[in-house]
Amino acid sequence: MPERMQRLKKLLALQEQLKAMHELRHAGFVSQSIAAKKEAEELVERFNAEDSLSGLFPDVYHRGIGSALSREDASRKAASNEAGKVATATVRTNMVERNYREARSAYERERGDRERLEIIGQRPKKPPEGR
């Protein structure tokens, strides 16, 4: 296998790992955003509940709700940023994969041509027909 093909194969594996890492990070940020939103909703429900201590400690509830909402916003922004990185990694992976397939096809064609030439070269030559 030519050196270029080996390098492209390694680069393709690396790009796929990088893409998977960004996809994993994106999923993590989305999950964090959802969890923070759920936490804020639960705090609001407890704040509005009849048997709540929100009348005694409204600042605690407000800070908790504000903190959860800011974490949700930060996680959503980070997820959006990571989605951009996933798109970039996907494009790069596709480009490297296309180059690898082209190099592999060219190598296979050259190898097939060499084999055919060897077969042609091994054929015994017919003696010229005498008249």
Side-chain angles (χ1 to χ4, degrees), residues 106-119:
Y107 173 70
E108 293 294 327
R109 272 193 311 273
E110 289 174 15
R111 192 172 74 178
D113 290 346
R114 279 193 305 269
E115 288 173 358
R116 284 189 288 281
L117 286 173
E118 286 177 10
I119 291 171

Side-chain angles (χ1 to χ4, degrees), residues 12-27:
L12 179 60
L14 181 66
Q15 285 295 332
E16 287 172 346
Q17 289 175 349
L18 187 62
K19 179 182 168 189
M21 182 199 66
H22 286 303
E23 288 172 342
L24 186 63
R25 285 178 50 118
H26 176 261

Side-chain angles (χ1 to χ4, degrees), residues 27-68:
F29 288 132
V30 169
S31 176
Q32 289 173 3
S33 175
I34 291 170
K37 182 178 181 179
K38 185 176 179 181
E39 181 184 341
E41 289 171 352
E42 289 173 357
L43 285 171
V44 168
E45 285 177 19
R46 278 192 255 154
F47 182 78
N48 293 331
E50 291 291 323
D51 59 347
S52 172
L53 298 175
S54 62
L56 297 174
F57 306 106
D59 291 344
V60 173
Y61 281 91
H62 289 294
R63 273 187 277 145
I65 293 167
S67 173

Side-chain angles (χ1 to χ4, degrees), residues 46-107:
R46 278 192 255 154
F47 182 78
N48 293 331
E50 291 291 323
D51 59 347
S52 172
L53 298 175
S54 62
L56 297 174
F57 306 106
D59 291 344
V60 173
Y61 281 91
H62 289 294
R63 273 187 277 145
I65 293 167
S67 173
L69 291 175
S70 67
R71 281 193 320 246
E72 177 196 7
D73 187 47
S75 294
R76 194 178 321 122
K77 287 178 183 176
S80 176
N81 186 27
E82 225 32 65
K85 291 179 181 180
V86 168
T88 301
T90 300
V91 169
R92 286 180 179 161
T93 301
N94 291 343
M95 183 179 62
V96 171
E97 184 176 12
R98 186 175 45 250
N99 287 338
Y100 173 70
R101 278 187 275 131
E102 288 173 1
R104 188 171 168 194
S105 294
Y107 173 70

